[in-house]
Amino acid sequence: MKINDVTGGVLFLILAITLGVGAWHLPNPGEQIFGPSTFPLVIATLLALCSVILMAGGLRSAGDTPLFALSDWTSEPGLIVRFLLVPAAVFTYVTFVEAVGFLPTASAILFVLFLSGHVRPLRAAILSVCMAILVHTIFYVGLSVQLPWGIMDPVRW
Amino acid sequence: MLDAYLTAFGMVFEPYVLAVIFASAIYGLVVGCIPGLSATMATALLVPLTFFMPPVPAVAAIVTTSTMAIFSGDIPGCLLRIPGTPASAAYVEDSYQLTLKGKPELALGIGLYFSVIGGLFGTAVMMVASPAIAEFALGFGSVEFFWIVAMGLGGAVFIGSSSPLKACIALLLGLAIALIGMDNPAGQPRFTFGTTGLLGGISLIPMMVGMFAVSEVLRHMVSRQAKAQIAVSHIGPIFANMWKLTKQYPWQLIRGSALGTVIGIQPGSGADMAAWMSYALSKRFSKEPEKFGTGHPEGLIEAGASNNSSLAGAWIPALVFGIPGDSITAIAIGVLYMKNMAPGPTIFVNNPQNVYALFLVFVLANLLMLPLGWAMIKVATRILRVPRDILMPIILLFAIVGAFAINNSLFDVGLMLGFGILAFFMEENGFPVAPTILGVVLGPLLEENFINSMIKADGNPIGLVDRPIAGVLAAITIGMMVWTIWAARKPKHAATTV
């Protein structure tokens, strides 16, 4: 999604105001003159100023530019699916890795992503398992990162 | 100093560190060679692994990877006309034209040989200049450091940015992100939304991995790039004409190395800008400017030396002041903090052996580039055939596990994804990502020095500029901002962002 400078300015202005209001209400133990809210208020003010300049510049030069427009790649459903596969892969990992285990989860994610890149199914399956084992070896065996075993706990090594 | 160097020598030349350097060199060469995978991304992906290493090998891994990746970016530029990293983009046309003329070995030989010389030149400057600057900076107080940090952030925003305003917003976004957590002078939890996972602030590594690696994967997913054809199948002896070229273009080599180092020192401008500026300068002073872009070696020599020398240059402000010269040193500074090697002038007094070890790693990495770079060139045609549709999912898996590994936290994996998507949309809309990272890295330092300075000055803003060095630094910082805004006004009338 592409936004023009007016929309970008509005979004960052909202962020600046939210930041400023949040900073204003921060507790200040000891009633310090330069307490925890001082620096956030400076940042919020500068961000608001930059946002207004961005909006003003956008209003001057935008002409008939739409407030937001979809990027070229969104016209191809295949590319949208490929884009969405990335967050889906991460969500799948976060949701299932504890219960199912690292090796099956990582292999499944890799397999689907390989297929989306038109890798042949057999090659994708072999690569998925091999790469999951390689990553597991580097992090679990090499660096002692506690990657969960899940359903593969009986064959843990 | 000699004792510290001897200690540093012992720290670097031990089997574990040498093995890390060797493995990082191979990794950097392979990643740099693959178009679309930048040296910054290679470094960001490496950070989770460095988390588990002692300080010297951790820093050695970063230095070696980035040095190798910047050179290796020349290889696909020469064989496919696609620069492997942005730092090779400036001279890709000359490089590819040489390949089309049947001389790929000449283009690749120049890339390798003059990268090594440029890298060693930058390293020598770093070895001499950093301790001297550090000694001078030992007398700096919080006010001077506030302006040094402001200058570093200003450099990121105002030097080499196509839209200083958008870069400024990206920086402020980074500074806002850095506000999250308890790491502030008051020790007060801020913007944590009641989440204990945010009390320690936004974890830097998942954020960097997300912004540099996940965003790259997302960009690949929506790209329609056709497979590029490799222009040659055989590469001849690559060092054959190098000495002849050194004698033919000595000034170009010296000028490229020197300019690259200076540009590297400037905060915010990295290897890609060094290469572009050196290539332009080479053409400007050349006796044969009409030959540039047609497979002429002159610009290749100057820009090739320049981009590698800038890497060492960027470490000078990083080590002495903790201010990154480019996005790679921004990541490296994060690693230094993580390893209790907080950069600053006192590191040269308290831990000189660690700094000298870093110098030695730079020398070693550049020397190692000769044989390993040669080997890489020989196998490059095979590596370039590995489809990115296979590499990108593997990179995503490394990113996920790397983000998780730091705190064994799935929350960090979510953060990584969030920042990856944020970076993707920022870049789609012309907001650069590097200033955001710099903002997050330097935010706490900026706030601490700002608050301390204001307390010392009893709230009087004049206290920020009434010391001579602080006044000069303030003038340079403000002058740089005003000059860039003035210079950016002309093209702005024509520019419209959609």
Side-chain angles (χ1 to χ4, degrees):
Chain A
M1 186 178 70
K2 293 191 175 183
I3 54 174
N4 79 3
D5 288 353
V6 179
T7 315
V10 170
L11 288 176
F12 282 110
L13 186 62
I14 292 170
L15 176 67
I17 292 169
T18 312
L19 185 66
V21 171
W24 194 259
H25 289 99
L26 281 171
N28 183 10
E31 297 301 313
Q32 306 163 75
I33 302 169
F34 300 104
S37 62
T38 308
F39 194 66
L41 284 172
V42 173
I43 301 297
T45 309
L46 290 174
L47 186 58
L49 189 69
C50 288
S51 307
V52 170
I53 297 171
L54 187 70
M55 277 163 58
L59 282 172
R60 265 206 314 273
S61 60
D64 54 358
T65 312
L67 290 178
F68 71 92
L70 294 174
S71 311
D72 291 345
W73 58 267
T74 55
S75 60
E76 286 185 37
L79 292 181
I80 298 175
V81 170
R82 272 166 63 84
F83 178 86
L84 291 175
L85 274 176
V86 176
V90 178
F91 276 123
T92 305
Y93 183 89
V94 171
T95 312
F96 293 105
V97 74
E98 293 283 356
V100 180
F102 174 79
L103 287 170
T105 313
S107 302
I109 287 170
L110 284 178
F111 182 68
V112 173
L113 290 172
F114 285 146
L115 288 185
S116 79
H118 306 293
V119 180
R120 286 194 299 272
L122 181 63
R123 196 180 183 195
I126 295 168
L127 268 173
S128 307
V129 175
C130 291
M131 290 316 301
I133 292 173
L134 175 72
V135 173
H136 184 269
T137 307
I138 293 172
F139 283 90
Y140 183 82
V141 180
L143 302 173
S144 306
V145 175
Q146 291 307 304
L147 296 174
W149 282 93
I151 55 169
M152 294 193 67
D153 199 49
V155 291
R156 154 198 296 263
W157 63 80
Chain B
M1 183 190 271
L2 191 64
D3 281 349
Y5 260 112
L6 284 173
T7 312
F9 197 85
M11 291 162 87
V12 172
F13 285 88
E14 65 168 66
Y16 175 64
V17 179
L18 291 176
V20 166
I21 290 174
F22 186 77
S24 310
I26 306 279
Y27 167 72
L29 285 168
V30 172
V31 175
C33 179
I34 296 166
L37 307 187
S38 65
T40 311
M41 195 208 79
T43 314
L45 266 183
L46 194 68
V47 173
L49 296 180
T50 63
F51 182 76
F52 297 93
M53 297 176 190
V56 171
V59 177
I62 302 263
V63 168
T64 312
T65 298
S66 57
T67 307
M68 299 292 173
I70 294 292
F71 149 68
S72 196
D74 293 355
I75 298 173
C78 174
L79 301 179
L80 302 172
R81 202 169 169 237
I82 306 170
T85 66
S88 303
Y91 46 85
V92 70
E93 199 54 52
D94 271 311
S95 179
Y96 189 66
Q97 289 301 325
L98 275 173
T99 302
L100 291 184
K101 287 177 184 174
K103 300 177 186 170
E105 57 278 352
L106 182 63
L108 291 167
I110 291 172
L112 176 57
Y113 178 80
F114 292 98
S115 287
V116 171
I117 297 180
L120 288 172
F121 181 96
T123 306
V125 173
M126 175 176 66
M127 290 169 83
V128 174
S130 326
I133 300 172
E135 201 172 331
F136 177 68
L138 276 173
F140 284 11
S142 62
V143 183
E144 285 81 9
F145 270 105
F146 167 74
W147 284 112
I148 290 272
V149 176
M151 195 162 69
L153 293 175
V157 168
F158 292 102
I159 297 171
S161 171
S162 58
S163 168
L165 182 62
K166 287 188 172 180
C168 195
I169 289 175
L171 170 69
L172 288 165
L173 182 65
L175 290 171
I177 292 167
L179 297 172
I180 297 170
M182 291 178 69
D183 184 19
N184 57 76
Q188 183 73 28
R190 295 188 305 202
F191 310 108
T192 56
F193 311 104
T195 313
T196 48
L198 289 175
L199 278 175
I202 294 286
S203 203
L204 198 58
I205 294 173
M207 182 192 170
M208 289 192 298
V209 171
M211 292 193 103
F212 288 122
V214 176
S215 63
E216 203 69 61
V217 175
L218 286 168
R219 251 191 304 284
H220 165 76
M221 288 304 212
V222 300
S223 71
R224 305 182 186 91
Q225 282 172 349
K227 268 187 185 171
Q229 292 298 316
I230 299 170
V232 287
S233 57
H234 174 73
I235 297 165
I238 55 174
F239 294 120
N241 292 306
M242 294 307 119
W243 181 239
K244 191 177 145 201
L245 286 170
T246 311
K247 287 192 290 183
Q248 197 176 347
Y249 298 111
W251 286 112
Q252 285 80 351
L253 173 59
I254 294 169
R255 199 170 51 205
S257 303
L259 183 68
T261 311
V262 171
I263 290 174
I265 293 170
Q266 275 190 342
S269 44
D272 42 348
M273 190 192 281
W276 280 108
M277 287 186 73
S278 287
Y279 187 81
L281 203 68
S282 188
K283 191 174 178 180
R284 169 77 181 76
F285 288 107
S286 173
K287 289 174 187 159
E288 308 164 298
E290 72 285 353
K291 287 189 179 175
F292 278 65
T294 64
H296 187 51
E298 195 175 348
L300 276 176
I301 291 170
E302 189 155 345
S306 178
N307 59 16
N308 265 67
S309 66
S310 76
L311 284 179
W315 275 85
I316 297 174
L319 278 174
V320 179
F321 301 117
I323 293 172
D326 58 9
S327 47
I328 292 174
T329 39
I331 297 171
I333 284 175
V335 172
L336 290 176
Y337 276 113
M338 200 165 72
K339 296 289 162 197
N340 291 324
M341 272 176 74
T346 51
I347 195 176
F348 288 81
V349 180
N350 300 334
N351 284 307
Q353 67 281 4
N354 282 350
V355 179
Y356 297 154
L358 186 140
F359 293 164
L360 292 176
V361 167
F362 255 104
V363 175
L364 196 61
N366 277 292
L367 292 177
L368 202 59
M369 201 197 297
L370 276 177
L372 293 182
W374 173 84
M376 183 66 203
I377 288 169
K378 292 293 175 189
V379 298
T381 50
R382 283 181 207 159
I383 289 176
L384 286 170
R385 288 197 177 95
V386 177
R388 270 187 280 172
D389 284 326
I390 287 181
L391 289 173
M392 288 299 177
I394 298 169
I395 287 172
L396 182 66
L397 184 62
F398 266 98
I400 291 172
V401 181
F404 171 80
I406 305 308
N407 300 313
N408 281 349
S409 157
L410 289 171
F411 180 74
D412 283 351
V413 179
L415 273 184
M416 175 208 71
L417 176 66
F419 280 110
I421 294 172
L422 175 70
F424 175 82
F425 283 113
M426 279 174 72
E427 292 201 324
E428 271 221 323
N429 290 289
F431 291 91
V433 170
T436 306
I437 296 284
L438 294 190
V440 176
V441 172
L442 293 180
L445 202 62
L446 185 72
E447 178 174 11
E448 187 188 328
N449 286 304
F450 174 71
I451 296 294
N452 287 345
S453 303
M454 292 306 283
I455 290 170
K456 278 182 199 166
D458 273 337
N460 184 357
I462 297 295
L464 289 174
V465 290
D466 64 354
R467 285 163 56 126
I469 296 173
V472 171
L473 291 171
I476 293 171
T477 309
I478 293 165
M480 178 173 67
M481 292 176 183
V482 171
W483 176 77
T484 322
I485 291 166
W486 183 258
R489 280 182 63 197
K490 288 177 195 169
K492 218 175 177 183
H493 295 295
T496 307
T497 309
V498 182

